[in-house]
Amino acid sequence: MSAAAVTTERRDGVLVVHLDDGKANALSFDMIAAINASLDEAERDDEIRAMVLHGRPGKFSAGFDLGVMFGDDMSAIINLVADGGELVHRLYGSSVPVVAASTGHALAAGALVLLGCDVRIASDVEAKVGLNEVAIKMVLPDWALTIATDRLSKRHLQRALANARITAPRDAVDVGFVDEVVPDGEELERAIAVAAELASTLDPSAYARTVRAIRGPVLDLMAEQIASDRAGGVSPL
């Protein structure tokens, strides 16, 4: 992955994290590590009060690095999925609000990243959003099922998970992957505006304590499931 695949800028108390690997914005080991480093920066700097995750044109993220997922190294597969789970867990439990600026396709692990963000702003484009694992001969790990059950509409769980139903961004609002859809090209500025409002109106300590209070049981269960998968060598294949 190019060192420039993850870049950051600061705007109005918001750390804007741009994801652009020039291709599918796959969640590779390097991409996950770079997003984690951005979270470190956002959570440690008192001048940063919110964060935005912004995809590349047409693609928020198409999921885990398929070069690893369909490779022969089972240890790498297990660790990549566990690393991804820890990233989603960290986003969901972050002490600063995280807003997604979804620019297009958000599939598999890309859709799980959306579930980890507080607010999801999507571009109104012809794109695929959802969890397609069952359709590609994979089983979602337990931690993914846990956050999906917590965040997705109960009316859509069967179709979104077991039936691997994929929707356009505008339909993903009702499912629960997205909160708001805006015209193409406006998603970044809208996400920054939402994040800046959260940064200026929320008390950081109260926000962090409230997140822990309302998401604590889900976060604790996810942490146990991720640790179990990594230690037990559980593969999603």
Side-chain angles (χ1 to χ4, degrees), residues 8-31:
T8 63
E9 61 173 311
R10 295 179 175 221
R11 291 178 56 180
D12 301 323
V14 176
L15 182 68
V16 184
V17 182
H18 303 284
L19 312 178
D20 190 349
D21 67 359
K23 296 179 284 187
N25 266 357
L27 290 178
S28 62
F29 287 111
D30 288 343
M31 177 75 84

Side-chain angles (χ1 to χ4, degrees), residues 56-98:
R56 70 183 305 270
K59 296 180 178 68
F60 180 68
S61 173
F64 286 123
D65 182 353
L66 294 183
V68 174
M69 296 303 293
F70 291 137
D72 297 326
D73 188 340
M74 190 57 63
S75 176
I77 295 170
I78 291 164
N79 284 317
L80 181 62
V81 174
D83 284 1
E86 288 175 350
L87 174 62
V88 173
H89 174 272
R90 188 171 178 199
L91 289 167
Y92 203 40
S94 174
S95 61
V96 298
V98 181

